[in-house]
């Protein structure tokens, strides 16, 4: 059976070139980069080269800090909790503003600050495109705002947020700005300096790097209370022996992804658009967000009359790996702004089917996937008497 992977926003295949480059650091060049002997010196050199690639690839100056972490979740938790210690505890400021469609790494961290530590969190609504309006941020922000947090690209819809404008509004009000760039890095051009963010989080496995390694960009001169105390690793900002193979892999993956950006924006976008056009031919299917304002690889399609898990199961059985947003029960709908944004009817089952491509997908795969999705939708609608699907009633 063919196996077609269309779940690259969940994780990606490690690029073979990245894998090859990492291997020596697992068995031959395994010294601790902080050790003074030749084993340590060898890894130290590789580490410095990798860090330089990260600075270049993310548009950071050498005066900024890029701290290697274990994943974007760690980077995000660090910013949210660090801001509490640095900006909220014992200070006048007591508010964090965020978009309401952030990844759970953000929303759960903020929920913790809200419930356990009494921080005021303001959630900006999203518009029908699934992004937030700059005007809503202008209305919400005040001199009590410590941090504005807006993702660069949404993991479900792929929609790109106006982070340059949001960062500038935050700064006008003396608030700090963090962006979760996890779904942007490697898919669109990312230059942290140019967009003026204070902090930015990312994860290597989203751009064909290894799992278990990510990073946090900290703009020049900004403090951030550390979460991991111990040795003097990463300039004392994050302790723990460095994952050299992972860092070498992440840096090379970033270099390759940046080299491939034109390809991403032409070839992958073309395949994505082709798949989207085919899916839109199915009755009662809509796709959230203008495709020109999305990262080039992502589609979030609402397919009415089909239950999400049944759809994934059917596709999986036929060789297609995709993923779904929250199942559409009315309660879930109320609590899921993306579902609201796509205008899903609360009383009817629907699938929010996420298809996310990569540079390893071929046109032939996309044609096959489109066919399978059409067949699955038809098949499931036929058998789904439970949901009483009828196009005329919608
Ligand atoms: N932020 C976004 C937008 C994501 O898509 C993800 C992962 O899906 C994360 C953060 C968390 O990344 P990780 O699981 O690598 O920590």
């Amino acid at each position: 059976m063919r196996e077609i992977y269309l779940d690259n926003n969940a994780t990606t295949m490690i690029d073979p070139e990245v894998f090859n480059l990492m291997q020596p650091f697992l068995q031959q060049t395994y010294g601790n980069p902080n050790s003074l002997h030749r084993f340590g010196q060898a890894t130290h050199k590789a580490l410095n080269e990798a860090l330089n690639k990260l600075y270049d690839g993310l548009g950071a100056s050498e005066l900024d800090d890029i701290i290697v972490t274990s994943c974007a979740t760690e980077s995000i938790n660090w910013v949210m909790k660090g801001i509490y210690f640095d900006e909220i505890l014992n200070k006048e400021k007591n508010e964090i503003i965020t978009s309401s469609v952030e990844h759970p790494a953000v929303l759960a961290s903020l929920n913790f600050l809200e419930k356990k530590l009494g921080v005021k969190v303001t959630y900006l609504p999203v518009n029908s495109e699934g992004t937030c309006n700059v005007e809503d941020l202008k209305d919400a922000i005040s001199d009590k705002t410590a941090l504005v947090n807006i993702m660069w690209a949404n993991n479900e819809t792929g929609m790109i947020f106006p982070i340059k404008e949001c960062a500038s509004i935050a700064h006008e009000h003396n608030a700090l700005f963090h962006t979760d760039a996890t779904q942007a890095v490697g898919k669109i051009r990312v230059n942290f300096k140019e967009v003026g963010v204070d902090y930015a989080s990312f994860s290597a496995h989203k751009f064909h790097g290894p799992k278990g390694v990510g990073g946090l960009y900290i703009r020049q001169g900004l403090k951030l209370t550390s979460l991991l105390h111990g040795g003097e690793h990463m300039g004392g900002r994050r302790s723990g022996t460095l994952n050299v193979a992972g860092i070498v892999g992440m840096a090379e993956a970033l270099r390759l992804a940046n080299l491939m950006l034109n390809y991403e924006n032409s070839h992958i976008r073309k395949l994505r658009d082709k798949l989207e056009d085919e899916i839109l031919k199915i009755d009662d299917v809509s796709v959230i967000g203008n495709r020109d304002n999305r990262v080039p690889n992502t589609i979030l399609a609402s397919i009415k009359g089909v239950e999400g898990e049944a759809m994934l199961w059917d596709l999986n059985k036929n060789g297609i790996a995709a993923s779904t947003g929250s199942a559409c029960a009315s309660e879930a709908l109320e609590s899921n702004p993306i579902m609201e944004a796509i205008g899903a009817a609360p009383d009817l089952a629907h699938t929010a089917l996420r298809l996310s491509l990569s540079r390893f997908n071929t046109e032939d795969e996309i044609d096959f996937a489109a066919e399978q999705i059409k067949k699955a939708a038809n098949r499931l609608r036929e058998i789904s008497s439970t949901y009483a699907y009828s196009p005329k009633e919608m």
Side-chain angles (χ1 to χ4, degrees), residues 47-96:
L47 180 68
N48 280 343
E49 283 168 11
L51 289 173
N52 285 339
K53 277 194 207 170
L54 289 178
Y55 279 77
D56 285 350
L58 295 168
S61 93
E62 54 185 51
L63 298 171
D64 300 322
D65 269 340
I66 291 179
I67 308 297
V68 175
T69 63
S70 62
C71 58
T73 300
E74 180 192 324
S75 307
I76 290 164
N77 270 264
W78 183 8
V79 174
M80 301 302 148
K81 291 163 190 174
I83 290 291
Y84 173 76
F85 286 114
D86 298 334
E87 299 294 320
I88 295 179
L89 189 69
N90 304 327
K91 292 209 179 148
E92 303 280 286
K93 297 185 181 238
N94 185 36
E95 186 195 27
I96 296 179

Side-chain angles (χ1 to χ4, degrees), residues 9 71-73 76 103 105 151 153 155 180 182-183 203 205-206:
N9 285 9
C71 58
T73 300
I76 290 164
H103 186 271
M151 67 200 325
N155 41 301
D180 174 1
T182 309
Q183 295 290 349
S203 225
H205 71 101
K206 304 288 187 184

Side-chain angles (χ1 to χ4, degrees), residues 158-174:
M159 284 296 290
I160 297 169
F161 285 61
I163 59 157
K164 193 169 181 176
E165 291 90 323
C166 293
S168 133
I169 295 165
H171 293 152
E172 279 164 26
H173 291 81
N174 286 326

Side-chain angles (χ1 to χ4, degrees), residues 234-280:
M234 290 270 123
R237 300 197 89 153
R238 182 195 184 263
S239 300
T241 302
L242 297 175
N243 168 7
V244 178
I247 300 169
V248 165
M250 173 159 72
E252 181 64 3
L254 178 67
R255 192 186 71 80
L256 291 177
N258 280 342
L259 273 184
M260 305 286 283
L261 280 184
N262 284 342
Y263 183 82
E264 177 95 24
N265 204 23
S266 54
H267 188 71
I268 300 174
R269 183 180 287 279
K270 211 170 97 200
L271 293 186
R272 189 273 311 266
D273 290 353
K274 185 175 191 195
L275 181 58
E276 189 165 322
D277 289 341
E278 287 305 313
I279 294 172
L280 285 169

